[in-house]
Amino acid sequence: MSSQNQSQSQPQTQSLDALLNSGRKEEVFATIKGAVDNCLSETNLHLTVPDLKSKTRGKVRDIYDSGDYLVLVTTDRQSAFDRILASIPFKGQVLNETSLWWFNRTQHITPNAVVSVPDKNVTIAKKCSVFPVEFVVRGFVTGSTDTSLWTVYNNGIRNYCGNVLPDGLVKNQKLTANILTPTTKAEDHDVPVTPDEIIERGLMTQADFDEAREKALSLFDYGQRVALEHGLILVDTKYEFGKGSDGSILLIDEVHTPDSSRYWIANSYEERFQKGLEPENIDKEFLRLWFKNNCNPYEDEVLPDAPEELVCELAWRYIFLYETITNSSFEIPLTEEPIHDRISRNVLSALSSLQ
């Protein structure tokens, strides 16, 4: 992709709008439209692949137990308001392949749980004992949710998750150093915790926490440097870790994806920050807002179908993010084969070769 070169040679003239409406969009948009009815909304591999024992359905991923390994299928489901809003063509592939790109490039920092990637939407992973802590790393004072750094700071809190914050910070300001703000999983939301509470509650040992903390901060620092080379600012993200059968701490789940991370456009950040404007970002909120404006997504039993043009626009933005983050072209599957059939075939083959 040429946007990296363009942003370096003419950093002020290549606006976000121009990037998002480039010739590349025209190239892929018709394919996206043609794929709307062939999304991966649901998988039932336990019915089509004999070796799979059970299925756990997450918001986006379906996880299968094969005995020795976990089979993680990233679907095209788009969730918000604790429910599924729509299926977005190629979203699952974008998330799976973005993670793989980062997993491959961060092995000098930490080993990970990936065993193989037999399909564009599938990762086969080592089983491990997952730590019940999400390692959220932040480089900026921003966000709008209850647990976001700007919200709590604006409410007067100056010690957050064990980090002492100075007075006088403003929204979207870069922190003098990246900070870790861990959370634990409650029933349906994340709860901020301090490192001391993690140890006191027995969620992790001190040694395991110290190692995971070091890995998380190193991953984020590396991610920021790579993102900046590609014209982006990695603002904040979350990592998950588990302990392998040999006792080593492994990076699991996803890494620096558009769903687990916030990215801003680098070349306009400073000027916009000085003017008090919000940083430019590849917005994925518009579909969520459409539902908010057209129904009660928290209470309505049946939701209206999302407009196709919004679904296709969101699919394009996921592809754009993949290509910008990785500085490489997204490979759209050429075959018309139903995705579930393709995945079943590839997973069956991969598991038999692992036995």
Side-chain angles (χ1 to χ4, degrees), residues 20-195:
L20 275 174
N21 294 292
S22 62
R24 177 65 174 147
K25 181 177 183 177
E26 290 173 32
E27 274 177 45
V28 300
F29 213 74
T31 312
I32 290 171
K33 281 195 157 182
V36 166
D37 294 326
N38 189 24
C39 284
L40 188 67
S41 307
E42 199 64 58
T43 69
N44 289 294
L45 296 187
H46 56 306
L47 304 178
T48 57
V49 180
D51 296 329
L52 297 183
K53 296 181 173 62
S54 65
K55 172 185 175 182
T56 305
R57 188 181 190 270
K59 283 180 183 171
V60 176
R61 285 177 186 78
D62 290 342
I63 304 168
Y64 296 90
D65 187 339
S66 79
D68 295 328
Y69 305 100
L70 292 178
V71 177
L72 311 165
V73 186
T74 311
T75 71
D76 296 328
R77 296 193 290 262
Q78 184 76 16
S79 73
F81 314 108
D82 290 322
R83 60 197 297 181
I84 307 304
L85 299 185
S87 292
I88 310 299
F90 308 118
K91 179 193 167 183
Q93 182 183 335
V94 163
L95 296 182
N96 196 52
E97 293 189 339
T98 303
S99 280
L100 181 65
W101 190 89
W102 285 107
F103 276 131
N104 286 338
R105 281 159 182 78
T106 53
Q107 293 182 64
H108 63 291
I109 298 171
T110 177
N112 58 62
V114 176
V115 175
S116 70
V117 183
D119 184 274
K120 293 175 183 297
N121 289 68
V122 180
T123 297
I124 295 179
K126 294 173 188 170
K127 280 187 170 179
C128 58
S129 173
V130 178
F131 296 121
V133 175
E134 289 193 342
F135 285 73
V136 180
V137 185
R138 305 175 187 275
F140 293 76
V141 189
T142 194
S144 57
T145 63
D146 290 347
T147 58
S148 72
L149 191 53
W150 172 246
T151 303
V152 297
Y153 186 86
N154 201 32
N155 288 337
I157 293 170
R158 293 294 178 268
N159 191 322
Y160 188 49
C161 299
N163 301 284
V164 178
L165 302 164
D167 286 332
L169 297 178
V170 295
K171 191 180 183 194
N172 302 323
Q173 184 172 346
K174 186 173 176 27
L175 293 163
T176 52
N178 296 326
I179 63 171
L180 179 70
T181 59
T183 62
T184 61
K185 280 283 183 201
E187 272 304 299
D188 55 357
H189 61 288
D190 302 332
V191 181
V193 283
T194 66

Side-chain angles (χ1 to χ4, degrees), residues 3 44 55 72 85 112-113 202 207 213 282 312 325 345:
S3 66
N44 289 294
K55 172 185 175 182
L72 311 165
L85 299 185
N112 58 62
R213 176 184 183 278
I282 317 301
C312 292
I325 291 165
R345 179 167 46 76

Side-chain angles (χ1 to χ4, degrees), residues 4-30:
Q4 182 193 7
N5 299 333
Q6 287 172 323
S7 65
Q8 286 175 344
S9 59
Q10 21 169 217
Q12 298 309 318
T13 55
Q14 193 69 358
S15 70
L16 176 59
D17 196 52
L19 284 169
L20 275 174
N21 294 292
S22 62
R24 177 65 174 147
K25 181 177 183 177
E26 290 173 32
E27 274 177 45
V28 300
F29 213 74

